[in-house]
Amino acid sequence: FAPDGTIYFTERDGNLWQIDDSGSLKLMAKFPTSGMYEGGLLGLALDPEFEKNNFLYLYQTYAELLTHQNKVLRFTISDGHLTDELVLIDEIPGALWHDGGRIHFGPDNMLYVTTGDATNAGLSQDVSSLAGKILRINNDETIPDDNPFENSPVFSYGHRNPQGFAWNVDNVMVASEHGPSGENLKGFAHDEINIIK
């Protein structure tokens, strides 16, 4: 929701939509996506200073040769159109499942990004990989000086497939995480709610 009441939302198949305060629906842009199961045009965020800069951010899955990748893009909304594309972070590992894809600005005005482990659990424990993480960057693609790992966007690691996340009134970050499910686990999903430190 923008400050003027305009609503922006994505569809996994690559569509970015706008609904104005009269209820009128407009297709703003269509992005190529990999057509995969859990990937596509996923997260969307508006800049904390949206009224001044009109910055909109997206998390997009795309096909790269035989693999899937994800990236975070920043656009300026100008006269109802997207302009000034800037890739903030790219080559986030993707896969048919465990693709992550949620983005939010935190109380510190930093952009947080969830990434799945791309079905490779070992990547989530590797701080040199962007898979299986919660990332934290500035809105101009630079890395905050107080991130836990020097010159790295990694804020939290060891994740399987974090999805929803938010901060409580004490600015404590809480994230939901998809766990394994299926016949071998008799239907129990083993989902988690985690406090992120």
Side-chain angles (χ1 to χ4, degrees), residues 51-125:
E51 286 181 289
K52 296 178 182 177
N53 58 30
N54 290 314
F55 288 165
L56 177 144
Y57 305 79
L58 297 168
Y59 185 102
Q60 177 196 7
T61 309
Y62 63 96
E64 184 68 27
L65 295 176
L66 300 177
T67 64
H68 297 99
Q69 302 287 327
N70 297 288
K71 59 185 172 183
V72 177
L73 306 163
R74 187 187 82 189
F75 294 93
T76 303
I77 298 177
S78 178
D79 294 323
H81 300 283
L82 299 183
T83 63
D84 305 324
E85 178 179 337
L86 176 66
V87 178
L88 297 182
I89 192 163
D90 200 352
E91 298 181 351
I92 300 168
L96 293 178
W97 298 277
H98 306 191
D99 210 53
R102 301 300 178 264
I103 58 178
H104 291 295
F105 277 91
D108 55 6
N109 289 334
M110 303 297 177
L111 182 62
Y112 291 78
V113 180
T114 69
T115 71
D117 67 12
T119 67
N120 183 341
L123 292 179
S124 70
Q125 299 296 332

Side-chain angles (χ1 to χ4, degrees), residues 19-60:
I19 303 175
D20 65 23
D21 58 2
S22 72
S24 178
L25 180 66
K26 173 187 174 182
L27 179 62
M28 290 190 68
K30 184 165 181 64
F31 293 83
T33 61
S34 66
M36 55 193 288
Y37 291 98
E38 291 185 1
L41 191 61
L42 302 175
L44 182 153
L46 300 180
D47 197 273
E49 299 291 322
F50 182 79
E51 286 181 289
K52 296 178 182 177
N53 58 30
N54 290 314
F55 288 165
L56 177 144
Y57 305 79
L58 297 168
Y59 185 102
Q60 177 196 7

